[in-house]
């Protein structure tokens, strides 16, 4: 598996991605019991799959009801989703956390830079107040790699964050503020700063703290509050070991080992063409030890260059044909 992992993080071309996708599929169709059973229920024969476009996607809900594993190795860490009381949480069992570390480090370096010379400020109260967050694991690692003395977390101490931002701006320090959406809104309602060089990265979601907003309105408020020309975003989730990033306008790009396809909302086993709205399917080859082919509950649109935007989410009632094996 080390050779295949090395192959995944060396992908540079579409041909290499295609080859690696088929190899990972064959491995997981054989070794991931829930995926194997799901494929069997669909009456799909893995040996007949010769193109990544024909690979079936496992509904993301299986991470709530089953252990999704393609490795017999011992689990090193379990990432879990946030959820209100009584809700089932998604659980991503990770047998080799170094794969996750390699994934987020390489992607962050590709989209931004090596973290050593960057000051990271993290405004992530809802994530810090629970265990099992894969986002906190990533941010912890970035903070440790940063050589700036002021890198760190802010919980609800907005005045401290405001003062720190002013100091960093005055010193000309490259700074990234990573924040959960509702906390960033809370901050700019109290404080306003004009820091054009600041990178503000919102991780999405109101976490039940605020009413959901359309992206354009949300980003306009944040742009005005921080004095920046664009709001960056990160697209990731408990069930993935890779992230896509947006430099603004809600348009995301994937690292070379990750790809977004769209499925027909009325026929979840059929893919649709670019520039149409459909359910987001993710190929995340970093998920080599769980399942790399996941049908999410997000709606989106993919563009010709492979970039994509997220337009919303399915209601549970709208998810059709994805309940095989779910108990």
């Amino acid at each position: 598996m080390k050779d295949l992992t090395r192959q995944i993080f060396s992908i540079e071309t579409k041909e290499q991605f295609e080859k690696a996708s088929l190899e990972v599929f064959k491995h997981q169709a054989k070794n991931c019991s829930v995926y194997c059973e799901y494929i069997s229920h669909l009456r799909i024969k893995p040996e007949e799959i010769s193109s990544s476009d024909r690979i079936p996607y496992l509904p993301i809900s299986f991470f709530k009801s089953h252990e999704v594993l393609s490795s017999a190795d011992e689990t090193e860490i379990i990432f879990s989703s946030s959820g209100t009381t009584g809700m089932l949480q998604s659980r991503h069992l990770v047998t080799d956390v170094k794969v996750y570390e390699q994934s987020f480090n390489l992607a962050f370096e590709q989209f931004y830079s090596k973290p050593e010379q960057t000051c990271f400020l993290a405004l992530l109260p809802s994530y810090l107040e629970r265990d099992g967050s894969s986002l906190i694991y990533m941010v912890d690692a970035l903070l440790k790699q940063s050589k700036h003395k002021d890198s760190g977390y802010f919980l609800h101490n907005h005045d401290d964050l405001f003062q720190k931002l002013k100091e960093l701006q005055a010193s000309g320090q490259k700074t990234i503020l990573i924040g959960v959406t509702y906390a960033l809104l809370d901050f700019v309602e109290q404080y306003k700063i004009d820091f054009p060089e600041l990178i503000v990265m919102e991780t999405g979601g109101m976490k039940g703290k605020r009413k959901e907003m359309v992206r354009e309105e949300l980003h306009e408020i944040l742009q005005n509050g921080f004095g920046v020309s664009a709001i960056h975003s990160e697209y990731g989730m408990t069930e993935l070991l890779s992230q896509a990033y947006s430099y603004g306008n809600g348009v995301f790009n994937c690292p070379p080992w990750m790809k977004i396809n769209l499925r027909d909302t009325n026929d979840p086993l059929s893919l649709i063409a670019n520039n149409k709205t459909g359910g987001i399917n993710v190929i995340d080859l970093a998920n080599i030890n769980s399942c790399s082919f996941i049908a999410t509950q997000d709606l989106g649109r993919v563009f010709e260059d492979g970039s994509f935007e997220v337009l919303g989410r399915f209601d549970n009632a709208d998810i059709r044909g994805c309940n095989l094996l779910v108990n």
Side-chain angles (χ1 to χ4, degrees):
M1 293 307 297
K2 288 184 178 179
D3 288 343
L4 187 50
T5 302
R6 194 177 301 113
Q7 178 184 341
I8 287 166
F9 291 122
S10 300
I11 290 173
E12 294 182 349
T13 66
K14 291 181 179 179
E15 292 75 20
Q16 290 172 334
F17 182 88
E18 178 75 7
K19 182 176 184 291
S21 295
L22 290 171
E23 288 189 33
V24 172
F25 168 69
K26 289 173 184 175
H27 168 73
Q28 294 181 342
K30 179 180 179 181
N31 293 286
C32 181
S33 59
V34 61
Y35 190 42
C36 177
E37 193 174 350
Y38 180 69
I39 292 169
S40 176
H41 275 265
L42 295 177
R43 298 179 180 176
I44 291 173
K45 295 180 179 179
E47 64 272 13
E48 294 180 357
I49 300 293
S50 57
S51 165
S52 64
D53 289 341
R54 296 185 59 205
I55 292 175
Y57 291 82
L58 185 73
I60 200 167
S61 55
F62 280 84
F63 283 84
K64 293 182 177 181
S65 57
H66 294 71
E67 293 189 348
V68 183
L69 279 170
S70 296
S71 171
D73 293 339
E74 186 175 341
T75 298
E76 291 185 348
I77 192 169
I78 299 175
F79 293 128
S80 59
S81 63
S82 57
T84 56
T85 303
M87 285 182 60
L88 278 175
Q89 290 177 289
S90 286
R91 297 169 76 250
H92 192 170
L93 281 63
V94 179
T95 59
D96 187 355
V97 75
K98 286 185 174 61
V99 174
Y100 181 42
E101 293 169 354
Q102 191 171 3
S103 177
F104 67 66
N105 279 319
L106 286 173
F108 195 87
E109 185 175 336
Q110 174 187 326
F111 287 102
Y112 294 96
S113 63
K114 290 187 175 182
E116 286 86 346
Q117 304 305 317
T118 300
C119 180
F120 292 93
L121 307 178
L123 186 61
L124 300 165
S126 55
Y127 292 94
L128 279 174
E129 293 165 343
R130 70 175 184 85
D131 295 326
S133 167
S134 57
L135 176 64
I136 292 296
Y137 189 98
M138 179 180 78
V139 173
D140 276 347
L142 294 174
L143 290 174
K144 289 173 183 173
Q145 292 174 64
S146 169
K147 294 182 179 177
H148 198 280
K149 62 181 179 61
D150 291 324
S151 290
Y153 287 103
F154 293 81
L155 198 55
H156 303 290
N157 46 336
H158 290 175
D159 187 61
D160 292 345
L161 175 59
F162 180 61
Q163 298 303 325
K164 190 59 64 182
L165 285 169
K166 289 199 297 183
E167 292 172 15
L168 292 164
Q169 181 184 17
S171 68
Q173 170 63 43
K174 180 179 179 180
T175 305
I176 297 179
L177 171 62
I178 303 175
V180 63
T181 306
Y182 78 84
L184 292 173
L185 286 170
D186 288 347
F187 177 82
V188 297
E189 283 182 354
Q190 292 181 281
Y191 301 92
K192 184 177 175 64
I193 190 169
D194 186 24
F195 192 169
E197 300 82 14
L198 176 67
I199 295 175
V200 180
M201 184 183 298
E202 57 108 357
T203 65
M206 295 298 188
K207 306 301 179 186
K209 306 284 187 179
R210 282 174 169 263
K211 183 179 178 182
E212 295 292 337
M213 300 170 63
V214 296
R215 185 192 70 242
E216 290 81 4
E217 179 186 6
L218 165 67
H219 282 199
E220 183 179 359
I221 293 171
L222 295 179
Q223 285 172 237
N224 291 334
F226 289 104
V228 296
S229 59
I231 300 297
H232 295 224
S233 302
E234 178 254 5
Y235 181 78
M237 58 189 70
T238 299
E239 301 85 356
L240 302 178
L241 293 185
S242 297
Q243 301 81 29
Y245 289 99
S246 167
Y247 294 139
N249 301 317
V251 178
F252 293 88
N253 285 280
C254 295
W257 56 89
M258 180 183 180
K259 182 181 179 182
I260 304 298
N261 289 314
L262 296 180
R263 66 182 183 275
D264 191 317
T265 55
N266 293 308
D267 180 6
L269 300 180
S270 297
L271 299 183
I272 61 173
N274 293 336
N275 298 312
K276 295 183 178 180
T277 299
I280 290 180
N281 288 344
V282 180
I283 300 179
D284 179 10
L285 297 181
N287 273 18
I288 188 169
N289 294 317
S290 55
C291 182
S292 291
F293 312 96
I294 298 175
T296 77
Q297 293 179 351
D298 292 331
L299 288 165
R301 181 163 54 228
V302 175
F303 303 106
E304 293 299 331
D305 64 356
S307 63
F308 69 100
E309 62 179 338
V310 182
L311 302 174
R313 287 177 65 81
F314 284 95
D315 291 329
N316 288 334
D318 290 335
I319 301 172
R320 302 179 179 91
C322 287
N323 60 349
L324 291 173
L325 306 181
V326 177
N327 298 318

